Amino acid sequence: MIDSTAVTIDKATALSLKELAKQTLKDNDLGGYTVPTHGLYPFQWNWDSAITALGWMKFDEPRAWQEIEILFSGQWDNGMVPHILFHKNSETYFPGPNIWGANRAIKSTSISQPPVLATAIKEMLETAKDSALATEKVTQLFNKLVEYHLWWYNDRDPQNTGLVVTYHPWESGMDNSPAWDDALHAVPCVDWEYTRRDTSHVDPSQRPHKSEYDRFLYLVDFFKRHNFDSQYIFDNCPYKMNDLGIIAILHRATKDLLILGDKLGLNDERTEYLAKRAKMTEQAIGSLWCESSNYFYCRNVLTNSLAKVKTSAGLLCVYAGLATKAQTESLNNTAQQWIEASQFSIASTHPSETCYEPQRYWRGPIWLHINWMIALGFAESGFTNTANHIQQDTRNLVLTSGYYEYFNPETGAGCGGKNFSWTAAIALHWLLD
């Protein structure tokens, strides 16, 4: 195996990549919000915008804050920030607002996405050159962030288990991860015909299968048929997962939100409540740890069974600070083996798994923002060699293929959408300084 860490990057190349990344964000700017890429994803996505704002901060701080403000303009009255905001009409994406049926002031979907917003905003405040503007913006956004986190804990864990649930693979952001296979198989297929748009933009071998889409759409119909009633959906949804990605990202973001509140003197009884809910998660996370394989797994709540496939979501427990010292050491060993298992790291599904597909959406490809989180977690835990290796592999992907949506871990080839916003943003934020 060729050692991908041997690739170096000179200053001229780094500068060129920076300029290309900036231009990618500018090209994807639709007047205050950034689409992930044109055609394939023509709207504003929740966690995409949070990550993309980190890139804007490197060269246009007011525009970075505008990204977040426009995302929060679509926040529901119950505190949820939807996973897609349909600001403008587009015929290049399916399913659009008419299928979702959530006709708020700004049309949207009825599910959310990994709540990385508070973490991104904390990074934006800490790295801002215009600290006065940053403090003003965070102060204005703080209440909206609190409401969003309260929604997660109250709406998605009303029984106070410490582990929130998700109702749709799209909500996880890791749409067709093999961790969802068994749970999704139990969901009925939609009973109407439809035409996908994604496979007209991207090679179908890089996208979810039709059998998965049939079930994705059934769940969309289920939410709409029951008028987005939180209690009914919690009691009756045919798909309910404890998703490690959501749980870990939420936990980290809640801790970051509390830090923001403390720094700005904004904490109150609501943030005290959030701190108590975070403690519940710390007490409950051990139920997702498998002693026999020394790994964290997602859980199908309806069958109370762990989805025993190693996905990169399990490593996010280090990023969240949810793993014990012994668990972190074990996960570091696993990560080292993971790194060695493919040319580039870290594959979203461990290459030793039978369900591993190196170029199919979330079943193997590498995603740069996930690598950033995993590397950050290991660096903060003292495993700097692991963190540095992941960062260097990630940098080499950009050097090899540019700013694609995701990457083949065997070859480094770019997959999915081209000229992708959050890939360019993470390069600016993490790889090219």
Side-chain angles (χ1 to χ4, degrees):
M1 179 181 295
I2 298 171
D3 182 5
S4 62
T5 61
V7 180
T8 59
I9 181 169
D10 58 56
K11 289 183 179 180
T13 302
L15 181 61
S16 176
L17 286 171
K18 281 184 181 180
E19 292 306 312
L20 178 59
K22 291 176 184 178
Q23 192 60 48
T24 298
L25 297 189
K26 292 176 183 178
D27 290 344
N28 289 339
D29 181 5
L30 288 190
Y33 68 93
T34 315
V35 298
T37 190
H38 292 285
L40 182 61
Y41 301 116
F43 306 112
Q44 185 178 25
W45 262 255
N46 181 326
W47 69 331
D48 289 73
S49 276
I51 299 299
T52 298
L54 295 175
W56 281 110
M57 281 296 289
K58 292 296 183 179
F59 65 101
D60 190 340
E61 293 188 8
R63 176 61 184 79
W65 293 110
Q66 186 182 30
E67 185 79 30
I68 303 298
E69 289 171 330
I70 291 180
L71 180 63
F72 270 111
S73 72
Q75 186 171 27
W76 284 24
D77 291 342
N78 64 5
M80 184 189 76
V81 181
H83 104 284
I84 305 174
L85 297 182
F86 301 109
H87 293 292
K88 299 177 182 178
N89 293 328
S90 176
E91 298 299 323
T92 66
Y93 178 84
F94 175 87
N98 292 337
I99 301 297
W100 284 92
N103 295 320
R104 301 318 202 248
I106 297 176
K107 293 180 180 180
S108 74
T109 60
S110 62
I111 56 175
S112 194
Q113 262 192 326
V116 72
L117 275 163
T119 297
I121 288 171
K122 176 174 173 285
E123 293 252 347
M124 291 165 70
L125 177 64
E126 292 174 347
T127 60
K129 293 179 180 177
D130 189 340
S131 59
L133 175 65
T135 299
E136 174 191 345
K137 294 299 185 181
V138 176
T139 301
Q140 293 170 355
L141 291 165
F142 188 79
N143 185 62
K144 296 178 183 293
L145 281 169
V146 171
E147 293 297 323
Y148 185 35
H149 282 240
L150 288 172
W151 173 82
W152 269 109
Y153 290 113
N154 292 329
D155 194 277
R156 296 310 186 84
D157 185 22
Q159 297 173 342
N160 296 338
T161 67
L163 302 173
V164 297
V165 299
T166 56
Y167 299 145
H168 199 296
W170 285 340
E171 190 161 58
S172 74
M174 303 180 182
D175 298 18
N176 63 321
S177 166
W180 323 140
D181 285 358
D182 288 346
L184 193 62
H185 186 71
V187 175
C189 292
V190 74
D191 59 2
W192 44 271
E193 296 297 320
Y194 59 91
T195 301
R196 291 170 62 174
R197 298 285 188 270
D198 58 322
T199 50
S200 66
H201 301 287
V202 174
D203 183 340
S205 70
Q206 299 175 13
R207 300 294 298 176
H209 293 290
K210 183 181 183 300
S211 62
E212 292 162 327
Y213 247 81
D214 287 347
R215 292 167 169 85
F216 294 161
L217 292 173
Y218 178 90
L219 291 170
V220 172
D221 266 357
F222 176 83
F223 307 143
K224 183 170 61 175
R225 284 200 313 272
H226 299 291
N227 299 312
F228 318 113
D229 184 308
S230 294
Q231 188 60 55
Y232 185 91
I233 294 170
F234 182 82
D235 292 337
N236 298 284
C237 188
Y239 177 95
K240 286 172 70 174
M241 293 292 300
N242 290 140
D243 167 21
L244 282 168
I246 292 277
I247 290 166
I249 290 169
L250 173 63
H251 189 73
R252 169 95 185 207
T254 296
K255 293 191 296 182
D256 288 339
L257 181 57
L258 295 172
I259 292 170
L260 286 172
D262 185 58
K263 183 176 294 186
L264 300 176
L266 297 173
N267 282 333
D268 55 20
E269 66 278 1
R270 298 174 308 154
T271 53
E272 289 178 9
Y273 174 75
L274 291 177
K276 291 177 181 177
R277 295 304 298 256
K279 288 291 184 185
M280 291 182 188
T281 301
E282 291 167 3
Q283 295 164 0
I285 195 67
S287 65
L288 303 183
W289 176 261
C290 177
E291 291 287 350
S292 62
S293 56
N294 291 319
Y295 203 71
F296 284 106
Y297 295 111
C298 300
R299 178 168 58 199
N300 183 341
V301 175
L302 298 179
T303 61
N304 193 30
S305 57
L306 295 178
K308 290 188 177 180
V309 54
K310 286 183 179 176
T311 70
S312 56
L315 299 176
L316 292 175
C317 289
V318 179
Y319 160 83
L322 285 169
T324 66
K325 182 179 179 180
Q327 288 169 341
T328 300
E329 290 176 352
S330 178
L331 290 170
N332 180 64
N333 292 334
T334 298
Q336 289 283 359
Q337 297 164 4
W338 211 312
I339 288 168
E340 295 301 319
S342 58
Q343 175 69 46
F344 297 87
S345 60
I346 280 180
S348 50
T349 300
H350 197 290
S352 67
E353 296 282 359
T354 57
C355 53
Y356 168 70
E357 295 181 76
Q359 69 174 13
R360 192 178 299 279
Y361 207 58
W362 289 107
R363 302 183 75 85
I366 298 167
W367 302 76
L368 267 59
H369 65 298
I370 299 296
N371 273 11
W372 166 63
M373 294 179 197
I374 293 171
L376 183 60
F378 281 120
E380 292 173 343
S381 301
F383 295 100
T384 54
N385 287 341
T386 301
N388 290 341
H389 199 139
I390 294 169
Q391 185 182 38
Q392 187 61 49
D393 267 11
T394 309
R395 186 180 290 114
N396 294 339
L397 286 171
V398 168
L399 187 61
T400 300
S401 297
Y403 299 125
Y404 274 82
E405 182 180 2
Y406 47 98
F407 299 85
N408 186 317
E410 306 297 340
T411 66
C415 302
K418 300 177 181 179
N419 306 315
F420 214 82
S421 294
W422 68 7
T423 307
I426 281 294
L428 287 169
H429 178 71
W430 180 45
L431 301 176
L432 300 177
D433 280 340

